[in-house]
Amino acid sequence: MSAITLARATSSHSCTSVCGAGGGVPLLYRKTPGKVELFRCASKADFDQKDTAPRYKAYDTVSLVANIATAEARATAWWNFERLRNGTLWDDPAVCAKLVSDTDSAHRHLVDNIFGLYTKIKAGSLLSEGLQRRLLILSLLIAYLDERNALEAEYFAQFHSGARTFADVMRAGKPVVRLLAALEKRFNGHVFELDDDLRTELVESTQLAAFADLIEGLHDTHGQGSFWRLYSFRDLPVELISNIYQLFVEDKDSSIYTPPALVRLMLDEALSWERIDRLIERDEVILDPACGSAVYLVEAYKRLVLHWRMRNAWARPKVKDLKALLTRVHGIDLEPGAIKLAAFSLCLALCEALEPEHIRKSVRLFPELEGATLHPSCFFAAREQGLIAKRVGVIIGNPPFKSSLSTPGAVRAAKAFRQNLAEKLPNDQLAYLFLVSAQDMLTDGGVISMIQPAGLLYNLNSKGLRRHIFGKWDVREILDFVSVRGLFSKGGGDTQIVVVVALAGEPEGTRKILHAIFRRSGKADAEQSFDIDYYDMHWIARGEDLADYRTWRAGLLGTQRVVDLVRRLAEMRTLGTFAQVKGWERGQGFMRGNRIHKNSHDHIWGKPMMPPDAIGPHGINSAKVKTAPRVPISDVRSERAFQAPLLLVRKQENLDQGFWDKGYMTFADEIVGFSGDDSDTPDLLGSCPRRWCS
């Protein structure tokens, strides 16, 4: 339940909230005679079993007559005002997990049910893929309108005899078709439209019970029934829409999850009140070139609405004002399904800015966004065709992370990149191409805030791209999340990202660039906000070699002074250079492949294999040597690479190493090996500290 609803429920007493980033309220305090109660707003509500009215139960209580000096009282962290005031309360991951995590929230139950429903329908092939997705989106929007009382009483009875709720209508195809037609006529915008083939399938379908169960909210994802509703559709947070998009996206490997806290942070840096003033004055627009579910556009639109209210004495905007603001957010996406979801998200945001009675009185409320401000297209083709005719003042977004030029427009853009920079696009990384191409669309003085793979800063082969960006662009900030691991991949991956914030125009030589390094924290894990320490904010002069990856790596170690030391060390001869002079075979071991790699590799399969954990701080533990499994191998290495004598170095921060001279030994890519002749043994041993070798 929303914090506003909770505040109303407790309004008879003194209440205090602790606001999170972007206006979110994770905690609410209620002071009553003799005690202080804490309400955790991410917790699900209890419901009265008779009338399903929500009941609110305090998460924790402190008695004011208790001896707060006791050890038990001191262990209760949340009431400690000093820790709340200075922010140290949120440095404790255990506290954040208890107080601000949404694991047990009502909207998390809704997300789980949606995932369970979608999995059930998809596994049973009960409906076509297109109809599954469309019904899921439309069901959420209709349920939202219904529970916000934006539809008249007994509205659903006209579509199905005796229907009192939307769930009653949802159990049969023909009534649903009639309902969608009536809603499209009333609200407009093609939001409730169905293609002819989907309409025909829906009329004939007898498999809609699962959708009706989702709307009723009386069953969990495992089918377990409840006496009261588990969630409400009255509040549909943008996080929910973002989670639904993860169901729809075709290429999940290239789609990087964007936590709402990161969306808010990026917009904080790119869309100040002064920037919005400029947008209005110059008739500029905000563009997301890979909009997906429109999570950035929705947040930007909410800020436009709030700015309008602030500039108009906090009056409520009329429908015409809200529609006018909606024309200032534009999106492009290759997937037509994503564009429909983006239109849904923005129409939902428009509804949230209106009172229910205004929604009921409105005619043709939803503007036609698809093809006007939302374009189903390859971004690079859209750029060539000039689909965004307005002046673009802000570009923000999260492009696909994909090392493949997957559209003809991307191929042409990469060719232009090579001609302009006189070098190839690093790794054919599509995200880099989005950044360079999008920045060129900005009007003079416009701002771009875009997520990029961390390789933009730290990979050797991105040096030319860094030279171009920092030499030609007015880069203001680099927000670095390399130290925040596992947060940007819902599937459990470890995607590492940075955010580039830059203005269109030539760089100013005297202005330094902020390299802000964010660290892991309890609030980041709970996806509430990101914290940064003063000592992790590094101001880098443009006189530095900004194309050198070591300039940026130094910040991770805590100070830019490390750069000078690293550069002096880099001038010394490396082991690789020495091995090259000696003519040794060198490089990482074999790399596992997949089913397409079917060749026989008898010089690896069944041979002795050195696992990485066999190499430790005291050399090689030969007892851990295994037999190489018969698995597909993509990067094979030659038989020569595994011949003793060998110097083996483990690829980890301690660079554990060992000398091996007991015969043939294979190893995988977690190890780097140096193989020489018997006459090279002294030099191989000399490259390895004697006490570490065996």
Side-chain angles (χ1 to χ4, degrees), residues 414-596:
K415 182 179 179 181
F417 176 95
R418 185 165 190 167
Q419 291 174 344
N420 293 336
L421 274 72
E423 63 177 76
K424 187 176 180 294
L425 179 70
N427 301 325
D428 283 337
Q429 177 54 251
L430 208 58
Y432 299 159
L433 199 57
F434 264 84
L435 178 67
V436 174
S437 301
Q439 203 273 348
D440 289 343
M441 295 180 65
L442 282 174
T443 186
D444 186 46
V447 63
I448 186 169
S449 179
M450 186 174 287
I451 294 177
Q452 289 288 288
L456 177 70
L457 288 189
Y458 298 117
N459 284 0
L460 289 173
N461 63 356
S462 300
K463 185 173 183 177
L465 180 57
R466 289 192 291 271
R467 184 181 299 110
H468 169 75
I469 290 174
F470 293 110
K472 300 295 184 181
W473 298 9
D474 188 5
V475 178
R476 297 296 183 93
E477 303 172 17
I478 297 291
L479 311 181
D480 194 332
F481 296 89
V482 167
S483 300
V484 183
R485 313 298 291 270
L487 190 60
F488 308 105
S489 299
K490 277 295 188 184
D494 191 20
T495 304
Q496 298 178 345
I497 70 162
V498 298
V499 175
V500 177
V501 181
L503 296 183
E506 292 293 323
E508 294 186 19
T510 59
R511 179 185 289 120
K512 295 182 178 181
I513 299 172
L514 172 61
H515 183 202
I517 301 171
F518 294 85
R519 309 289 183 179
R520 195 82 189 233
S521 69
K523 283 194 287 187
D525 287 339
E527 298 186 16
Q528 289 294 319
S529 63
F530 295 98
D531 292 331
I532 189 165
D533 193 279
Y534 170 80
Y535 298 102
D536 282 326
M537 299 176 68
H538 307 292
W539 296 92
I540 304 177
R542 293 190 181 274
E544 297 285 343
D545 185 359
L546 301 177
D548 187 346
Y549 74 96
R550 290 168 296 196
T551 301
W552 305 99
R553 281 193 181 276
L556 299 177
L557 299 176
T559 172
Q560 282 295 313
R561 288 177 291 183
V562 175
V563 175
D564 294 333
L565 174 61
V566 171
R567 286 174 179 160
R568 288 200 301 271
L569 292 174
E571 294 174 358
M572 301 179 181
R573 184 172 64 172
T574 65
L575 180 57
T577 303
F578 180 69
Q580 183 177 14
V581 172
K582 300 293 292 184
W584 296 345
E585 184 78 13
R586 66 194 188 282
Q588 68 180 18
F590 65 84
M591 184 178 295
R592 293 198 178 195
N594 51 42
R595 288 177 295 178
I596 67 172

Side-chain angles (χ1 to χ4, degrees), residues 27 29 36-38 60-64 66-85 89 95 99:
L27 302 175
Y29 299 86
V36 175
E37 294 176 315
L38 170 70
D60 201 357
T61 302
V62 166
S63 174
L64 298 183
N67 179 8
I68 63 173
T70 64
E72 181 180 358
R74 287 197 299 271
T76 306
W78 62 263
W79 60 266
N80 190 315
F81 177 76
E82 184 61 24
R83 292 188 68 187
L84 280 170
R85 186 191 62 79
L89 180 65
V95 170
L99 298 186

Side-chain angles (χ1 to χ4, degrees), residues 10-41:
T10 60
S11 60
S12 60
H13 302 277
S14 174
C15 298
T16 303
S17 63
V18 177
C19 293
V25 183
L27 302 175
L28 190 78
Y29 299 86
R30 181 172 67 172
K31 183 174 181 288
T32 60
K35 64 181 178 181
V36 175
E37 294 176 315
L38 170 70
F39 292 89
R40 182 180 178 276
C41 301

Side-chain angles (χ1 to χ4, degrees), residues 38-70:
L38 170 70
F39 292 89
R40 182 180 178 276
C41 301
S43 296
K44 63 182 179 181
D46 293 325
F47 290 85
D48 189 289
Q49 298 186 25
K50 295 180 180 179
D51 59 7
T52 70
R55 297 184 308 177
Y56 300 97
K57 180 180 178 182
Y59 175 78
D60 201 357
T61 302
V62 166
S63 174
L64 298 183
V65 298
N67 179 8
I68 63 173
T70 64

